[in-house]
Amino acid sequence: TVAEAARTLARLHTLDTAGVPPKTNSTQPEKVAQTLNMFSSAKNQLPDIFRQFSLAWKELSPSINEILPSGVIHSDLFPDNTLFEGHRLKAVIDFEEYAIGPLLFDIAMAINGFCFKNNRLNNYLLEVFLNAYSPIRPLTPQEKGLLPVYIRWAALAMASWHLRFHLIHRPDTKQEKRVRELLKRVK
């Protein structure tokens, strides 16, 4: 399953973007920064979460501004956005958050989706993912060096999404649990 997802993502990342209009999504750095600005007026005040999120942003944001290979990214490649028949991936769905952006972000997001077990990165699954992805689109040395940062960054971007669209506006036990899980990954 992990290898199928990685190969499919790599093929997506080799698509020519000529003629594809530029598009951003809610996980872009600018949108995550906007989430920070929402904390002071949030209807649902969560000081410990807001503090952890702010510290993580301050730590990670300087590393995510480097120019990296970019192209079409799905931005939400998780098991629930894939349709499998046995071990064969038949379709990827939910392109709502697609954008033109750093391919490494998409890789890191998919790693968050497919390579974490019990909220911990599984090194075996990570190796399977990278070994399936790399023959189709090898990572640059710069991407390899930044991968650990981007895995954390993708988790923070997901936490931002959950906060921005749900948890800031109203208490929600399920959303709060997910944000806490994601912030734990960032650490």
Side-chain angles (χ1 to χ4, degrees):
T1 302
V2 172
E4 281 282 300
R7 284 190 288 271
T8 300
L9 190 64
R11 288 192 293 275
L12 175 68
H13 290 169
T14 62
L15 293 177
D16 183 6
T17 59
V20 177
K23 180 184 176 290
T24 61
N25 65 25
S26 62
T27 58
Q28 305 283 127
E30 303 80 27
K31 299 289 185 177
V32 175
Q34 288 174 3
T35 302
L36 287 165
N37 296 330
M38 298 170 76
F39 290 166
S40 62
S41 62
K43 290 179 183 174
N44 184 27
Q45 286 291 317
L46 300 159
D48 64 318
I49 287 177
F50 295 167
R51 186 175 39 262
Q52 288 176 52
F53 188 97
S54 299
L55 289 171
W57 168 257
K58 187 175 181 179
E59 178 188 348
L60 295 173
S61 62
S63 300
I64 58 169
N65 294 317
E66 294 192 36
I67 304 298
L68 295 169
S70 66
V72 175
I73 60 174
H74 184 276
S75 301
D76 196 20
L77 188 62
F78 271 69
D80 58 346
N81 287 331
T82 58
L83 301 174
F84 279 85
E85 188 175 284
H87 293 291
R88 300 272 311 154
L89 180 59
K90 293 297 187 174
V92 174
I93 59 172
D94 190 6
F95 278 81
E96 179 182 338
E97 291 292 335
Y98 102 88
I100 303 296
L103 303 176
L104 187 58
F105 175 79
D106 216 17
I107 293 165
M109 187 65 78
I111 288 169
N112 268 277
F114 285 91
C115 300
F116 275 76
K117 296 293 176 194
N118 300 318
N119 208 39
R120 296 190 58 93
L121 182 62
N122 181 298
N123 289 322
Y124 171 74
L125 293 176
L126 176 62
E127 185 178 336
V128 168
F129 185 96
L130 294 173
N131 286 339
Y133 182 94
S134 296
I136 298 166
R137 195 197 78 81
L139 275 69
T140 67
Q142 184 183 24
E143 287 174 311
K144 288 178 185 175
L146 286 171
L147 181 60
V149 170
Y150 267 75
I151 292 170
R152 295 174 65 214
W153 164 242
L156 187 66
M158 282 187 287
S160 171
W161 186 91
H162 287 280
L163 284 163
R164 169 184 218 110
F165 293 107
H166 299 285
L167 200 51
I168 282 178
H169 307 291
R170 65 191 165 283
D172 183 320
T173 305
K174 183 179 174 184
Q175 292 290 335
E176 184 175 336
K177 180 181 177 193
R178 182 64 175 148
V179 168
R180 289 185 187 285
E181 287 173 349
L182 291 166
L183 289 174
K184 199 171 192 179
R185 287 184 187 189
V186 174
K187 279 187 175 186

